[in-house]
């Protein structure tokens, strides 16, 4: 990908004059340009030893570009999901790092903050683990504030800032409403298992599913448990729960996704792809 960036830079020593994106003709030019560049990325990826893109729906590119042409005032809303330890949070953390480096107009929020408050249940049973062991299906769709997530996603898409809830990860099960100010940006990324649940998934312009094999996900999950000072016996038990929940609630999202991404791809290669996208989308200069 570095070679692709270098070739692009050599071909674009002088930036192209920016079309008037307020006109449909200008936006159609942008759509044609982006389609050409995205196909270039996909073809490069196919030749790469370790693919980043596992699958891309055939109608995704034309549908997305049609949306850019016809609804230019809407922000671009991207949903990212995947089974536990598939790599979706790692990918979003890397996107956040790149955002900070290049000052990219992207907002990232975590859909896990839309968990409903279960503090009363945890108090009743004594702990989150005991609650889980007594059959409470924590990751079931009904345990999320899905209507609120959909409402907030739509507001962000419409260019309106929101106050998102905050789910505390300290084992108390407490969820605080209106806890975090979230700015609507040119691109808004929402990651987490709830992004592809009904009625949320249809709000997104781009739906991404991050996939990794079971062996990799289990290894990551148990390694993560060490950093959380979680007892290994309990971690293995919890893995059994999240694996089952993933098959039941999250894996079906692959069918609805526009792009399936390899969660085991080299992070440096992923970074290069994002940097290249940043290059091509900033290759215009304003007319004097």
């Amino acid at each position: 990908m570095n070679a692709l960036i270098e070739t692009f830079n050599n071909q674009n020593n002088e930036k192209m004059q920016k079309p008037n994106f307020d006109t449909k003709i200008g936006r159609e030019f942008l759509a044609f340009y982006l389609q050409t560049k995205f196909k270039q990325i996909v073809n490069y990826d196919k030749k790469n030893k370790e693919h980043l893109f596992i699958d891309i729906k055939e109608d995704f590119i034309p549908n997305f570009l049609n949306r850019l042409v016809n609804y230019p005032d809407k922000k671009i809303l991207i949903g990212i999901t995947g089974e536990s330890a598939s790599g979706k949070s790692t990918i979003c953390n890397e996107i956040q790092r790149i955002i900070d480096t290049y000052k990219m107009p992207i907002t990232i929020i975590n859909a896990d903050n839309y968990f409903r408050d279960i503090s009363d249940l945890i108090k009743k049973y004594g702990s989150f683990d005991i609650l889980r062991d007594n059959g409470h299906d924590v990751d079931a769709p009904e345990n999320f504030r899905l209507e609120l997530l959909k409402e907030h996603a739509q507001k962000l898409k419409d260019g309106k800032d929101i106050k998102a809830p905050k789910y505390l990860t300290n084992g108390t099960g407490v969820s605080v409403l209106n806890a975090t100010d979230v700015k609507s940006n040119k691109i808004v990324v929402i990651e987490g298992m709830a992004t592809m649940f009904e009625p949320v998934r249809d709000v997104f312009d781009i739906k991404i599913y991050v996939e990794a094999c079971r062996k990799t996900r289990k290894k990551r999950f148990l390694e993560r448990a060490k950093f959380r000072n979680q007892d290994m016996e309990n971690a293995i038990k919890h893995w059994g729960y999240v694996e089952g929940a993933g098959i039941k609630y999250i894996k079906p999202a692959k069918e609805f996704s526009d792009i399936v991404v390899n969660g085991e791809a080299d992070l440096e290669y992923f970074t290069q792809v994002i940097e290249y996208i940043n290059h091509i989308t900033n290759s215009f200069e304003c007319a004097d």
Side-chain angles (χ1 to χ4, degrees), residues 60 63-64 67 74-79 157 188 201-207 258:
F60 163 64
N63 285 347
F64 175 65
R67 173 253 183 263
K74 298 286 185 183
K75 308 302 182 184
I76 298 172
L77 200 62
I78 302 174
K157 190 173 184 177
V188 178
R201 63 173 175 251
D202 291 336
V203 179
F204 293 101
D205 300 299
I206 305 175
K207 297 182 278 290
D258 301 306

Side-chain angles (χ1 to χ4, degrees), residues 80-275:
I80 300 179
T81 195
E83 294 179 84
S84 184
S86 61
K88 59 185 182 297
S89 294
T90 301
I91 285 173
C92 285
N93 288 338
E94 186 61 15
I95 293 174
Q96 185 63 62
R97 187 190 68 77
I98 298 169
I99 290 169
D100 295 339
T101 300
Y102 291 97
K103 311 297 182 187
M104 297 167 71
I106 302 175
T107 294
I108 301 178
I109 65 174
N110 192 328
D112 289 356
N113 283 309
Y114 288 79
F115 267 120
R116 294 187 185 277
D117 190 301
I118 56 171
S119 56
D120 287 344
L121 281 172
I122 288 179
K123 286 177 184 176
K124 177 181 176 181
Y125 284 91
S127 73
F128 178 89
D129 295 331
I130 296 173
L131 176 64
R132 176 203 63 208
D133 293 345
N134 274 271
H136 185 75
D137 197 355
V138 183
D139 290 346
E142 57 266 25
N143 289 322
F144 288 86
R145 293 186 171 102
L146 295 178
E147 288 296 341
L148 181 62
L149 177 56
K150 179 183 179 181
E151 177 189 333
H152 281 181
Q154 188 63 60
K155 282 184 176 179
L156 291 167
K157 190 173 184 177
D158 291 340
K160 300 173 184 175
D161 298 343
I162 64 164
K163 283 187 172 292
K166 176 69 175 176
Y167 182 80
L168 305 185
T169 57
N170 57 4
T172 61
V174 171
S175 176
V176 182
L177 289 171
N178 303 316
T180 308
D181 291 321
V182 178
K183 180 180 174 57
S184 175
N185 236 319
K186 189 173 182 180
I187 298 172
V188 178
V189 178
I190 303 179
E191 70 103 350
M193 67 179 75
T195 56
M196 298 302 156
F197 290 161
E198 288 189 287
V200 182
R201 63 173 175 251
D202 291 336
V203 179
F204 293 101
D205 300 299
I206 305 175
K207 297 182 278 290
I208 298 175
Y209 185 88
V210 182
E211 185 172 69
C213 73
R214 179 184 181 275
K215 182 178 179 181
T216 296
R217 290 189 296 107
K218 184 177 181 180
K219 180 183 178 183
R220 288 174 176 172
F221 187 89
L222 296 181
E223 286 176 349
R224 198 162 60 191
K226 295 175 185 176
F227 290 106
R228 293 176 178 173
N229 295 318
Q230 186 178 12
D231 174 77
M232 189 52 60
E233 182 180 347
N234 183 54
I236 292 171
K237 186 184 291 186
H238 194 54
W239 164 254
Y241 167 75
V242 298
E243 183 181 25
I247 292 170
K248 187 176 180 181
Y249 299 123
I250 305 173
K251 205 165 186 178
K254 185 177 177 181
E255 176 187 344
F256 305 108
S257 299
D258 301 306
I259 304 173
V260 180
V261 169
N262 180 10
E264 299 179 68
D266 181 71
L267 199 57
E268 183 179 350
Y269 174 54
F270 171 79
T271 301
Q272 291 169 359
V273 171
I274 299 298
E275 288 176 344

Side-chain angles (χ1 to χ4, degrees), residues 18-31 65 67-73:
K18 182 178 180 180
N20 183 0
F21 296 142
D22 290 332
T23 67
K24 191 170 183 179
I25 292 175
R27 295 194 298 274
E28 285 174 342
F29 172 81
L30 175 64
L65 295 178
R67 173 253 183 263
L68 285 183
V69 170
N70 293 301
Y71 301 95
D73 295 331

